[in-house]
Amino acid sequence: MKLFKKSLYIAAAMLVSFVSVQCKDGKKKETSTEVAKTVEEVTITKESFGTTEDHIPVENYILKNSNGMEVSVITYGGIIQSLKVPNKNQVIEDVVLGFNSLAQYEKPNPYFGALIGRFGNRIAKGKFSLDGKEYTLATNDGENHLHGGPEGFHRKVWTASEKQTEHSASLVLSYLSKDMEEGYPGNLKVEVTYTLTDKNDLAVSYSATTDKKTVLNLTQHSYFNLSGDFSKTILDHDVTIDADKYLPVDATLIPTGELRDVTGTPFDFREAKQVGKEINSDNEQLKRGLGYDHCWVLNGKEGEIAFAASAYDKASGRMLEVYTNEPAIQFYTGNFLDGTLPSKQEGTYGHRTGFCLETQHYPDSPNQKDFPSVVLEPGQNYKSSTVFKFSVK
Ligand code: BGC
């Protein structure tokens, strides 16, 4: 902390002397403004985001780095409410869909920006067995269970604490999910840390422990639109996904169990490709998902943080790269957005105006023995990490 304060003083001193030299030399004012930007300090501010229908106060934590990049996280659902990122001309704009009011987040919505638990993605018919005992989960997607159920982690108010270093700002969110919540066994203690660094990385680290054998698959459900203009679709973004295989789904979007080669299909994103290039092609799987709504099996070694996917918006120059130690990623192209939900900007969110890159284990894993295990036992520590890395090009 001392070191941190000391370097701030040094930075401030450098700024003052530089500005005064500039003034004596009669150079333009803009020059000193640019310098001021480079020595902006990391900050965390907290403000109220209202109270829930049940009268629980909700806070909004705004983490800011020295480049002016800013993430707002609300304690309701651990939702990333806004993510302001510079474009190639240093213009800082919001790149995630969401709402301006808590009341809107409390109404049914497609999990905008939320932390998802206990299980990201679908579990067939909301049922699974552990050690011969069958568990029945709340169903909320036809006959299936989706994203932890109707009262999943996206609707919980999390306890927050802040951490700050010279080059990073973190928000630590914790939540105790009680035994049998939404049908899942075990008292589960969960901690999720959002860290914004001076490298324009937003890291999301998950950890959890349980007192009974259970299943767990946490993820983050931000909808990105790198243009910063939510009236535009994301169809002209260039996407890459480092995966040779993806999981085809049945009519209810449950994986069939097959790991299918992407070669020669619209699912091949190993080289950068515009999202819109093949999204409407005559392909049985695209018809099922009404676009891309599938899980890709990542090439990286399980358990090691590796590059998973990227998205690039040429007009703004914004590039997003996703790194994770999870074995898979769900790429969802906002196919169910239909112009009914109010935008943070003007108007409403139209079809395909946001995409999600949700790092995770495979959907329906508790029922599919050949998929990597999602079982968490007492005494084990669940650990998962994802980094959303922003740059311009
Ligand atoms: C799923 C979609 C679903 C969306 C919103 C995505 O993760 O893959 O099928 O519509 O979340 O719930």
Side-chain angles (χ1 to χ4, degrees):
M1 197 62 194
K2 262 189 190 162
L3 183 72
F4 170 53
K5 276 197 179 148
K6 198 176 164 194
S7 34
L8 271 184
Y9 292 140
I10 294 169
M14 276 169 62
L15 174 64
V16 173
S17 60
F18 191 73
V19 170
S20 61
V21 170
Q22 292 299 325
C23 293
K24 272 183 211 155
D25 287 351
K27 284 204 181 141
K28 281 184 187 164
K29 211 179 166 201
E30 291 92 78
T31 317
S32 53
T33 314
E34 271 166 34
V35 173
K37 255 186 213 156
T38 64
V39 291
E40 215 171 302
E41 61 183 283
V42 169
T43 56
I44 302 179
T45 46
K46 177 180 153 184
E47 52 191 46
S48 168
F49 200 70
T51 46
T52 64
E53 286 163 355
D54 306 332
H55 314 290
I56 305 170
V58 172
E59 310 296 341
N60 180 15
Y61 284 85
I62 303 156
L63 317 184
K64 197 169 178 181
N65 74 9
S66 62
N67 311 313
M69 181 174 159
E70 196 180 291
V71 58
S72 296
V73 178
I74 57 173
T75 50
Y76 180 83
I79 290 170
I80 297 182
Q81 190 267 337
S82 80
L83 181 58
K84 295 182 181 162
V85 184
N87 72 2
K88 61 184 173 194
N89 301 316
Q90 292 300 308
V91 178
I92 296 178
E93 289 163 313
D94 194 0
V95 297
V96 290
L97 276 47
F99 302 121
N100 289 322
S101 76
L102 179 60
Q104 200 65 49
Y105 280 110
E106 289 189 272
K107 291 183 196 159
N109 77 79
Y111 306 85
F112 279 151
L115 290 178
I116 304 293
R118 295 188 187 190
F119 199 95
N121 222 314
R122 293 172 173 83
I123 296 181
K125 300 192 172 61
K127 286 195 187 297
F128 69 95
S129 294
L130 275 179
D131 295 338
K133 185 170 167 14
E134 186 175 79
Y135 292 93
T136 302
L137 306 170
T139 51
N140 56 339
D141 186 58
E143 59 182 8
N144 298 327
H145 173 88
L146 174 68
H147 294 332
E151 295 300 323
F153 291 180
H154 62 289
R155 285 182 56 81
K156 305 299 179 193
V157 178
W158 295 62
T159 303
S161 64
E162 313 166 16
K163 268 192 208 160
Q164 196 170 328
T165 70
E166 192 183 343
H167 294 295
S168 71
S170 299
L171 184 69
V172 183
L173 295 173
S174 45
Y175 175 66
L176 170 66
S177 173
K178 297 259 176 69
D179 189 25
M180 297 313 286
E181 186 178 270
E182 295 294 82
Y184 290 98
N187 288 298
L188 185 84
K189 281 189 192 160
V190 194
E191 201 174 89
V192 181
T193 304
Y194 287 111
T195 300
L196 177 65
T197 75
D198 276 345
K199 292 182 176 159
N200 289 3
D201 290 352
L202 177 63
V204 193
S205 307
Y206 309 80
S207 65
T209 53
T210 182
D211 62 0
K212 268 190 206 155
K213 194 169 182 175
T214 191
V215 294
L216 191 62
N217 188 24
L218 303 175
T219 192
Q220 217 294 331
H221 210 282
S222 283
Y223 286 67
F224 299 96
N225 184 326
L226 300 179
S227 73
D229 177 353
F230 303 150
S231 68
K232 289 187 180 162
T233 75
I234 45 80
L235 295 174
D236 60 355
H237 284 46
D238 291 314
V239 163
T240 64
I241 305 176
D242 186 23
D244 297 337
K245 295 197 164 75
Y246 78 103
L247 305 175
V249 289
D250 70 11
T252 69
L253 303 185
I254 295 291
T256 59
E258 180 193 344
L259 274 63
R260 193 175 286 175
D261 194 336
V262 296
T263 311
T265 76
F267 292 82
D268 193 346
F269 281 95
R270 290 173 296 186
E271 302 274 315
K273 181 169 73 187
Q274 278 206 342
V275 175
K277 188 168 178 217
E278 293 164 323
I279 199 169
N280 295 320
S281 12
D282 187 16
N283 173 286
E284 170 239 6
Q285 281 298 315
L286 284 174
K287 290 207 171 111
R288 292 218 163 136
L290 303 174
Y292 295 107
D293 191 358
H294 294 77
C295 198
W296 272 253
V297 175
L298 293 169
N299 290 338
K301 273 195 199 150
E302 200 191 331
E304 286 176 23
I305 295 235
F307 172 77
S310 68
Y312 172 62
D313 171 52
K314 198 173 172 193
S316 66
R318 288 191 186 93
M319 167 74 115
L320 162 64
E321 291 165 281
V322 184
Y323 291 78
T324 189
N325 63 353
E326 285 293 324
I329 197 163
Q330 180 86 3
F331 177 46
Y332 168 59
T333 44
N335 312 313
F336 295 112
L337 298 176
D338 59 2
T340 52
L341 295 169
S343 169
K344 278 186 277 187
Q345 300 171 348
E346 281 178 352
T348 57
Y349 292 117
H351 191 221
R352 297 179 177 157
T353 48
F355 66 89
C356 303
L357 283 168
E358 307 155 45
T359 55
Q360 57 191 242
H361 272 58
Y362 307 179
D364 198 34
S365 307
N367 295 310
Q368 308 220 18
K369 290 197 175 50
D370 295 334
F371 288 179
S373 171
V374 286
V375 171
L376 183 71
E377 313 234 16
Q380 287 182 329
N381 279 321
Y382 173 96
K383 291 265 177 228
S384 173
S385 296
T386 293
V387 181
F388 298 103
K389 200 175 184 47
F390 288 89
S391 58
V392 286
K393 112 172 168 177

